[in-house]
Amino acid sequence: MIKIASSEKSANLVAEFRKWYEQNGPAPQASLNNLSNFVSISRQWQSKLASARFVGVHWPTEFGGRGLSLIEEAAMQEEFVRIGAPQLVGLFGLTMVGPILLKHGSREQQNKYLSNILSANKIWCQGFSEPSAGSDLANIKCFAKQLSNGDFEISGQKVWTSFAQTADYCFLLARTSQEESKHKGLTYFLLPMKSNGITIRPLRQITGEEEFNEVFFDKTIVKQDAVVGKIGEGWKIAISTLMHERVILTFARQLQSETILRELLLKTSAKNEYNTLANLAKHIANSCAVRALAFEHLRSYAGGKEPGAEGSLDKLLWSENFQTLTAFALENESKDLARDVKSDLFCSSTLSNYLYSRGRTIAAGTSEIQRAIIAERILALPKTR
């Protein structure tokens, strides 16, 4: 849909990947409709890519990357879409945990976790949201009590935890002090999901999938060396994580729109009604504009800028554009779905994408929260409350 002018490094990397793919393709097919199958297939695919150093290319070479920039990382993401590869199962690790450990983690933590993130040997889930702490993340109640030997005992609940039932580790935000302000009494942990005292309850979604989960901790022990940064400074690291989520992960999500647009183009011809063609052109233009803005932000990060509030622009524009795009695709295909009365509607990727899109303006911060961040931190408008 959109052709970003590439650097010489990007062009060379893409050429190397295409040569490798000729010998190692085709990419496997995997759907989230069958979670265990998806995890198995995507894990093998990511491991294969990592062995050739085609994931995390912006990571330092000593940890399995190529020492390139986010521009080259974006080029690889675009190649994965071009060949129809499945979503990388280690996306949370690649886009959030890895960058956080590179910036805030100890040398021991970097050596222990980073290579396993690239290879998808270890999968991560995110332990932030709680029943009373979603958009107001600092309202976390999950408590980590420090024991006399320095370890921590964690009790509480997390919710909307993607891939918790298949994850090996969780990057967890928990309260370690009740005496400080709610932003200062938080600590950031790396928690093994096979620890004692963890109960996982899958949540069935409107798509029929069970990607999300409730996770309960009942006096779960985590070692002191699992703390990232300092005790009580978890809020700073959590915000850094969210900035990476709204920028780097959102750029990867943008490619979901690209996949849908490619499918629409294959199904559309000059024989379609004018309104259909005009609407398709509008969606292509909107998607290109959203991606171009996200790419411009990636360029600034590649130049050394830290991810900031502009990530809310990327997340807001992509999620709302994604909803309108999937609605258009469903409308375009609705006659075929209605005609085939014997079909299982949930087997339709178009319907599944539409249903999945409804949650995109909630996950990773609601559209209302993103607008508030844009208003206050980018436009410097006064708070209304």
Side-chain angles (χ1 to χ4, degrees), residues 1-2 254 257 261 278-293 317-318 320-322 324-325:
M1 299 305 104
I2 178 172
Q254 302 252 3
S257 300
L261 286 170
N279 283 330
L280 177 57
K282 179 183 73 174
H283 285 295
I284 291 173
N286 287 343
S287 294
C288 287
V290 171
R291 249 180 96 195
L293 178 64
L317 294 174
W318 170 74
E320 298 200 344
N321 182 65
F322 187 62
T324 60
L325 175 60

Side-chain angles (χ1 to χ4, degrees), residues 93-109:
L94 289 168
T95 59
M96 290 190 279
V97 184
I100 288 301
L101 291 181
L102 286 169
K103 182 178 180 181
H104 300 283
S106 67
R107 191 68 179 184
E108 292 75 17
Q109 290 170 339

Side-chain angles (χ1 to χ4, degrees), residues 47-87:
S47 177
K48 195 173 184 179
L49 290 170
S51 65
R53 296 193 306 141
F54 288 124
V55 289
V57 298
H58 64 296
W59 288 20
T61 55
E62 63 182 306
F63 297 119
R66 291 176 178 246
L68 300 174
S69 74
L70 284 170
I71 303 302
E72 288 74 44
E73 183 66 42
M76 288 311 309
Q77 295 289 339
E78 291 174 336
E79 281 299 294
F80 298 157
V81 170
R82 183 187 66 82
I83 63 175
Q87 174 184 305

Side-chain angles (χ1 to χ4, degrees), residues 143-381:
F143 194 79
K145 174 185 176 182
Q146 190 163 25
L147 305 176
S148 58
N149 65 356
D151 295 342
F152 290 84
E153 181 184 85
I154 298 179
S155 297
Q157 177 187 358
K158 297 294 178 178
V159 72
W160 310 123
T161 309
S162 298
F163 299 112
Q165 67 270 63
T166 60
D168 301 287
Y169 287 94
C170 177
F171 52 108
L172 178 85
L173 193 62
R175 188 161 299 286
T176 46
S177 172
Q178 300 282 19
E179 298 177 1
E180 302 174 89
S181 70
K182 64 180 184 179
H183 293 88
K184 292 183 178 180
L186 299 169
T187 300
Y188 198 103
F189 295 94
L190 306 176
L191 174 68
M193 289 298 287
K194 299 298 187 289
S195 302
N196 293 328
I198 297 179
T199 301
I200 300 170
R201 296 178 185 169
L203 298 169
R204 184 175 293 275
Q205 299 153 238
I206 193 173
T207 57
E209 301 161 7
E210 294 183 344
E211 174 189 342
F212 292 128
N213 301 269
E214 292 179 291
V215 183
F216 299 86
F217 303 95
D218 182 13
K219 297 182 178 180
T220 301
I221 302 299
V222 60
K223 298 294 184 180
Q224 185 176 12
D225 61 8
V227 173
V228 179
K230 295 180 180 180
I231 296 171
E233 294 187 359
W235 180 252
K236 176 181 69 176
I237 301 174
I239 291 301
S240 181
T241 303
L242 294 176
M243 293 301 101
H244 281 90
E245 179 182 27
R246 290 168 185 166
V247 177
I248 302 173
L249 181 56
T250 296
F251 186 84
R253 300 281 194 210
Q254 302 252 3
L255 302 178
Q256 293 176 313
S257 300
E258 177 83 4
T259 299
I260 294 171
L261 286 170
R262 286 172 180 262
E263 292 175 353
L264 281 169
L265 280 174
L266 289 174
K267 297 175 183 177
T268 306
S269 70
K271 295 180 181 179
N272 284 86
E273 296 178 358
Y274 171 79
N275 285 342
T276 299
L277 296 174
N279 283 330
L280 177 57
K282 179 183 73 174
H283 285 295
I284 291 173
N286 287 343
S287 294
C288 287
V290 171
R291 249 180 96 195
L293 178 64
F295 188 81
E296 183 60 28
H297 291 154
L298 285 184
R299 285 184 54 182
S300 67
Y301 306 141
K305 183 180 182 297
E306 284 293 314
E310 65 282 344
S312 290
L313 279 170
D314 296 331
K315 197 277 174 178
L316 173 68
L317 294 174
W318 170 74
S319 60
E320 298 200 344
N321 182 65
F322 187 62
Q323 285 186 347
T324 60
L325 175 60
T326 56
F328 171 71
L330 182 61
E331 181 182 2
N332 216 32
E333 196 176 306
S334 59
K335 294 179 181 178
D336 295 332
L337 288 174
R339 194 178 299 119
D340 189 4
V341 294
K342 294 181 180 180
S343 69
D344 181 354
L345 292 182
F346 283 104
C347 288
S348 163
S349 62
T350 304
L351 179 58
S352 182
N353 286 334
Y354 169 75
L355 295 174
Y356 168 80
S357 76
R358 311 320 296 165
R360 293 304 92 195
T361 51
I362 300 173
T366 65
S367 289
E368 292 76 13
I369 290 296
Q370 306 305 336
R371 286 187 168 89
I373 292 173
I374 293 166
E376 295 172 10
R377 302 184 193 175
I378 297 179
L379 301 178
L381 297 176

Side-chain angles (χ1 to χ4, degrees), residues 117-151:
I117 288 175
L118 284 184
S119 66
N121 186 42
K122 302 297 181 183
I123 297 174
W124 291 75
C125 62
Q126 181 179 13
F128 278 20
S129 295
E130 298 181 6
S132 62
S135 297
D136 183 12
L137 184 59
N139 201 38
I140 278 176
K141 299 292 191 296
C142 185
F143 194 79
K145 174 185 176 182
Q146 190 163 25
L147 305 176
S148 58
N149 65 356
D151 295 342

